Amino acid sequence: MIKITILTLFPEMFVPLNESILKRAQEAGLVEINLVNFRDYAVSKHKNVDDIPYGGGAGMLLKPEPIFAAIRDLPQVSHHRKLILMSPQGHVFHQKKAEEWSTHQELVFMCGHYEGFDERIRELADEEVSLGDYVLTGGELAAMVMIDAVVRLIPGVLGEEVSAEEDSHSIGLLEYPQYTRPADFEGRKVPEVLLSGHHALIKRWRRKESLRRTFLRRPDLIKDLVFGLEDYSLLEELTLEHEEFARWRTKWQHLSPPPKRQRRSSNRNK
Ligand code: 4H7
């Protein structure tokens, strides 16, 4: 069971978390999601949570007091708690991070909205993460995306059929193309090999197409790939089909099979 606490001025934005798989996960007791409106911790009589920046400038900043008070008021249920701040200045979130977080007992997401944070709020965070290189009106949508990515990794959340371990991003490759019936849709045919029932060939075809997609669409992922022995011939085939792949050959050259042993090698070597 993972406990997720969200600090936000807009708790209504999190209604979508009560749908579908996330709803099932909560009902099954695999995850508990708590919303805390830190406006409830505002000190002034007008319940202000923001103020003008020292030094001048446009916009308002979230004041430290309400957020510090809200965090201090959280029940300390676990030592294995992680406080996360969503901001465009954080490290970019990725699948490995989701996997790591899914092993924690408690995650706290702090969401800013419209404005920035007073710098002293940052020290509350164990991690500052960004969803990607773009600006949002608040951290709420970023938090929801990250929560979705984490919750689906909790054992029991996805059905037995779908294992998160097989997810393309956890193995660093893009997914291979998939097809369902009909085998011929208005003349567009499903690749023959998939209809063959030949499991080893299907596995090989899928691996090859995953490699092809990754090279063509996400060359930035190639640097982290670790190829297996069985990839050598696939990569050589792909290099014949796309000459631009040849520039990566150093990544798999060491996997080349040893040259066939020659008879009378003593002769050849003179
Ligand atoms: C924290 C600090 C996350 C939160 C600053 C949040 C993009 C992401 C926010 C800001 C976010 C992401 C203040 C940045 C107002 C934009 C105009 C809320 N945007 N804001 N600025 N990529 N916005 O994860």
Side-chain angles (χ1 to χ4, degrees):
M1 150 75 97
I2 297 192
K3 182 173 173 182
I4 294 177
T5 302
I6 303 158
L7 270 70
T8 174
L9 295 172
F10 299 91
E12 329 79 60
M13 284 186 73
F14 292 86
V15 169
L17 294 184
N18 297 322
E19 283 294 333
S20 183
I21 291 177
L22 294 175
K23 178 185 188 176
R24 268 204 346 238
Q26 291 183 78
E27 285 170 355
L30 298 167
V31 62
E32 181 189 309
I33 299 180
N34 300 294
L35 289 159
V36 174
N37 187 340
F38 57 86
R39 192 177 295 281
D40 296 342
Y41 292 88
V43 281
S44 69
K45 70 166 189 273
H46 293 295
K47 296 277 172 199
N48 289 328
V49 290
D50 55 7
D51 207 338
I52 55 174
Y54 276 116
M60 303 279 272
L61 297 175
L62 289 174
K63 294 161 64 64
E65 301 95 318
I67 296 190
F68 271 77
I71 300 264
R72 286 180 180 143
D73 200 34
L74 293 177
Q76 182 77 43
V77 290
S78 69
H79 302 288
H80 218 51
R81 179 171 93 175
K82 198 172 263 298
L83 271 87
I84 300 153
L85 186 72
M86 276 70 53
S87 106
Q89 296 159 55
H91 294 292
V92 177
F93 183 72
H94 49 67
Q95 188 67 20
K96 280 267 163 309
K97 193 53 74 188
E99 285 167 19
E100 185 208 315
W101 288 354
S102 71
T103 65
H104 281 74
Q105 285 160 17
E106 184 176 4
L107 300 172
V108 180
F109 291 88
M110 298 188 276
C111 307
H113 212 93
Y114 309 138
E115 55 269 285
F117 288 104
D118 178 290
E119 190 62 23
R120 291 163 292 189
I121 291 170
R122 287 210 154 80
E123 76 190 50
L124 290 169
D126 297 306
E127 287 194 45
E128 192 167 333
V129 268
S130 165
L131 196 55
D133 292 333
Y134 36 80
V135 176
L136 303 170
T137 56
E140 283 82 3
L141 286 166
M144 260 186 277
V145 169
M146 295 176 197
I147 289 167
D148 187 277
V150 169
V151 171
R152 65 185 288 287
L153 295 175
I154 301 170
V157 168
L158 297 183
E160 327 243 317
E161 333 79 75
V162 267
S163 148
E165 276 160 47
E166 280 179 28
D167 288 346
S168 64
H169 266 290
S170 59
I171 56 170
L173 287 175
L174 300 187
E175 261 169 24
Y176 48 77
Q178 302 202 79
Y179 299 86
T180 184
R181 284 180 288 193
D184 183 336
F185 173 65
E186 298 175 355
R188 298 131 167 128
K189 295 197 172 60
V190 173
E192 203 64 51
V193 59
L194 298 178
L195 312 175
S196 71
H198 192 310
H199 294 298
L201 275 185
I202 291 170
K203 198 172 165 221
R204 187 178 194 278
W205 181 87
R206 287 179 165 168
R207 178 83 184 172
K208 182 175 174 182
E209 295 312 313
S210 276
L211 290 166
R212 188 198 308 277
R213 283 231 154 138
T214 309
F215 273 73
L216 290 177
R217 298 187 183 189
R218 293 295 306 276
D220 58 303
L221 296 178
I222 300 173
K223 64 176 188 340
D224 298 320
L225 290 179
V226 180
F227 297 122
L229 281 177
E230 66 288 358
D231 289 327
Y232 178 80
S233 61
L234 298 177
L235 290 160
E236 288 298 311
E237 282 174 30
L238 286 165
T239 306
L240 295 175
E241 294 164 39
H242 311 268
E243 32 190 85
E244 66 268 35
F245 287 13
R247 58 182 280 253
W248 298 99
R249 214 187 226 124
T250 49
K251 293 254 330 158
W252 65 80
Q253 222 153 28
H254 64 287
L255 299 170
S256 71
K260 293 254 161 34
R261 206 153 11 115
Q262 306 270 338
R263 287 190 198 164
R264 291 171 288 134
S265 60
S266 50
N267 261 357
R268 269 175 25 103
N269 294 347
K270 268 205 288 200

